[in-house]
Amino acid sequence: MKEMGIDNKVVIITGASSGIGRETALGCAKEGASMMLVARDKNRLQQLAQQIRKTAGVADIFPADVTDDAAMKKMVSRTIKQFGGIDILVNAAGIIANGTIENTSLKDWDYMMNLNLRAVFHLMQLTLPSLIRRRGNIVNVSSVTGLRAFPGVLAYCVSKAGLDQLTRCAALELAPKGVRINAVNPGVTRTELHRRGGMDENAYQAFLEHSQTTHPIGRVGEAKEIADLIIFLISPHAGWITGVTYSVDGGRAQTCAR
Ligand code: NDP
């Protein structure tokens, strides 16, 4: 049964090949949305689109790097041509990398900012004409690291803090035009993010175990728990919510060392 009021809405989801983006796509499919799925891994996108179509869902894929400006322009044009417009943008593509103020290279800093922040800014700009016409909305996938400081992942934290402020500023600018913009700020969530960021399997398992103690609810999150919040925020049920950076983190953002 469709309950969220997003059936027939056109949704672009970046980072759809894995983790939070993928779960969001599966959730949107159940709710009857039409989707353009974006990430670099074509095979994974194809498999996901096939899975969605098997249950009568509507999904097309656009395999590309979100930092490729020309490709993103094409992706937005193709979405509009194919589906008639865009109602919702979910920016879930992102990476994490270790590094401190002392050892983060300018190259690594630039890559983090380009992917986690500049690409989101660019996609927001590209989709806005359609979103304004259709009184749509955006959800950016930020992190607890946008709201709180953590050592050892400096550029990642700064990119997510920038994303939070981008969300708030754009929300104020676009509210009079009927467009809502929000962010979700997950705590540690079981996806591929940390292993792609350089943790081997042993280090990842140890990190997950340790994370049980750093999250007050006593466990890490699952991608579906983040997707459920994203789907609420993109839906008309959240029609009076804009400019929020919404923690979904088992209480992590409320903690202080003691
Ligand atoms: P995953 O690694 O499982 O998924 C990341 C997604 O981003 C993949 O679909 C990947 O696809 C895509 N992606 C990465 N780089 C690019 C690129 N250059 N161009 C296009 N797509 C790209 O991690 P999560 O699902 O956890 O990550 C989703 C978001 O959630 C990220 O923004 C992350 O920062 C945030 N987050 C995650 C937390 C966690 O603990 N997991 C906690 C807080 C926030 P592909 O490789 O096919 O391009």
Side-chain angles (χ1 to χ4, degrees), residues 6 9 18 22 33 45-47 80 83 85 106-107 117 122 124 142 166 179 185-186 190 195 198 217 235 247:
I6 57 167
K9 296 289 181 194
S18 174
R22 186 175 190 280
L45 288 181
Q46 272 171 340
Q47 279 166 19
I80 292 171
F83 296 114
L106 277 177
K107 188 166 164 258
L117 186 54
H122 188 222
M124 286 169 71
S142 181
L166 171 64
V179 174
N185 296 67
R190 207 188 301 268
R195 278 167 291 189
I217 281 185
S235 81
S247 291

Side-chain angles (χ1 to χ4, degrees), residues 95 97 100-101 103-117 153-159:
I95 51 151
T100 67
I101 184 70
N103 65 18
T104 299
S105 68
L106 277 177
K107 188 166 164 258
D108 289 348
W109 170 273
D110 286 346
Y111 186 63
M112 185 68 72
M113 297 306 149
N114 278 339
L115 178 48
N116 286 3
L117 186 54
V153 277
L154 178 108
Y156 182 71
C157 288
V158 175
S159 73

Side-chain angles (χ1 to χ4, degrees), residues 15-21 39-41 64-66 92-95 111 115 141-143 156 160 186-189 191-194 196:
S17 64
S18 174
I20 293 167
R40 292 163 303 177
D41 190 324
D65 190 318
V66 290
I95 51 151
Y111 186 63
L115 178 48
V141 182
S142 181
S143 166
Y156 182 71
K160 294 298 188 181
V188 173
T189 306
T191 66
E192 295 182 22
L193 184 84
H194 297 97
R196 287 177 194 229

